[in-house]
């Protein structure tokens, strides 16, 4: 069975918008940390759909890659 090409484009992340809980689970951090990142504008970019906060998996992947690249550049 062929793998879903969208999974490769999204780095293995789900093919749907992520909730703050999903981000906390994905990165193994407390949910409060995800909200603190949003408040400080240091975390992955999110957006609201009504009162619901969501994250685009592609943007989350890009944010993680940027952190990784910054870490390697500082080393």
């Amino acid at each position: 069975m062929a793998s879903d090409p969208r999974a490769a484009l999204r780095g293995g992340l789900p093919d749907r918008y992520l909730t703050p809980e999903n981000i906390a689970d994905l990165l193994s951090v407390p949910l409060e940390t995800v909200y603190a990142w949003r408040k400080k504008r240091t975390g992955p970019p999110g957006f609201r759909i009504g009162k619901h906060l969501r994250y685009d998996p592609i943007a989350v992947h890009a944010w993680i890659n940027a952190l990784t690249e910054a870490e390697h550049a500082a080393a």
Side-chain angles (χ1 to χ4, degrees):
M1 187 164 127
S3 64
D4 184 353
R6 292 173 295 187
L9 291 175
R10 293 182 180 262
L13 293 172
D15 190 27
R16 61 179 171 76
Y17 292 118
L18 303 170
T19 66
E21 292 83 2
N22 296 143
I23 300 296
D25 289 343
L26 177 70
L27 300 175
S28 299
V29 298
L31 182 59
E32 294 79 17
T33 299
V34 176
Y35 287 119
W37 287 340
R38 177 143 173 96
K39 186 175 182 178
K40 295 177 186 176
R41 299 180 185 261
T42 58
F47 60 95
R48 290 211 173 269
I49 300 177
K51 66 179 183 175
H52 303 283
L53 180 58
R54 296 293 181 262
Y55 296 86
D56 184 338
I58 293 173
V60 172
H61 190 104
W63 176 75
I64 292 169
N65 285 341
L67 288 177
T68 304
E69 289 172 11
E71 186 89 12
H72 288 294

